[in-house]
Amino acid sequence: MPSIEALLAFAVASLILIAIPGPSVLFVIGRSLSLGRRGGLWSVVGNELGGLIPIAAVAFGVGSIVAQSVALFTVVKIAGAAYLAYLGVQAIRHRKDGMAATAAEAPRRASTTTVLRQGFIVGASNPKTIVFFVAALPQFVDFSAGAVPVQMLVLGLVFTVIAFVCDGAWALAAGTARAWFARSPRRLAAVRATGGGMMIGLGGTLLLADNKA
């Protein structure tokens, strides 16, 4: 187990990083605008569960291989960006679905399993997460204490919990704003399209970002 001092230091560093709106926040806001609070929160759950994959990969050494291989990193990055763009296009295509439903009913039209799966894929395919953990986790590990993979997993779980709380707050805020837009079919269609556009833009941003960032 990492020391209490290391856990606290990593928690503070994670909170600072997570509090600055980045790809994860933009994804959550986009989904919440498209699906409402419920869909946004389930997207957060899926995203954080998917984020456990790169955490485990880094803890057991696979992450460093991906981070140091330009080819593998590029493949993961393209796949993740393409999937985000796909979700954005789907949100725009179906922006007028369920217009006869109330604001409370509309989010339920999206299957929880589908929303979870989509969020999981986004979280698991974010190469920036691998790069961050490859760079950050070793700085907070006590190598003399042994069980290094376990220490990294614990630190990764701390990051996941903080990310869930922060991203969940963004989902609730964006979903609440969507509820107001839902009072007008035209406004709801516009906000769904905006959410889809944000996801397409996010996919393009991740695709064009410097691999070393």
Side-chain angles (χ1 to χ4, degrees):
M1 289 285 292
S3 66
I4 298 299
E5 293 78 6
L7 280 173
L8 290 175
F10 182 75
V12 171
S14 298
L15 181 60
I16 293 173
L17 177 70
I18 294 168
I20 300 173
S24 180
V25 170
L26 293 178
F27 168 71
V28 168
I29 291 176
R31 295 297 276 170
S32 298
L33 291 177
S34 297
L35 303 174
R37 287 190 297 265
R38 179 175 175 275
L41 287 174
W42 280 117
S43 294
V44 171
V45 173
N47 191 44
E48 306 310 338
L49 289 176
L52 295 176
I53 301 300
I55 290 173
V58 170
F60 293 100
V62 178
S64 60
I65 297 175
V66 176
Q68 294 171 15
S69 170
V70 175
L72 285 177
F73 186 94
T74 301
V75 168
V76 173
K77 183 170 71 170
I78 291 175
Y83 191 70
L84 280 170
Y86 166 78
L87 294 180
V89 170
Q90 290 297 100
I92 293 174
R93 286 184 58 203
H94 300 287
R95 64 188 180 278
K96 295 184 178 180
D97 288 0
M99 286 305 182
T102 64
E105 293 169 343
R108 292 187 176 88
R109 291 182 175 275
S111 163
T112 297
T113 302
T114 298
V115 175
L116 270 174
R117 184 182 69 249
Q118 292 171 342
F120 182 90
I121 293 173
V122 171
S125 62
N126 185 359
K128 297 298 180 183
T129 303
I130 296 178
V131 172
F132 168 73
F133 285 119
V134 167
L137 288 185
Q139 312 302 321
F140 297 90
V141 169
D142 182 0
F143 288 90
S144 64
V148 171
V150 175
Q151 292 188 60
M152 288 188 174
L153 287 175
V154 172
L155 292 171
L157 289 176
V158 169
F159 182 92
T160 299
V161 171
I162 295 174
F164 176 79
V165 173
C166 293
D167 290 348
W170 280 108
L172 290 174
T176 299
R178 176 193 183 278
W180 180 82
F181 283 101
R183 297 173 188 170
S184 165
R186 186 172 297 177
R187 286 189 305 217
L188 180 57
V191 80
R192 283 177 171 173
T194 299
M198 289 179 65
M199 282 183 281
I200 294 174
L202 175 58
T205 299
L206 293 178
L207 184 62
L208 298 176
D210 184 358
N211 288 357
K212 300 300 182 180

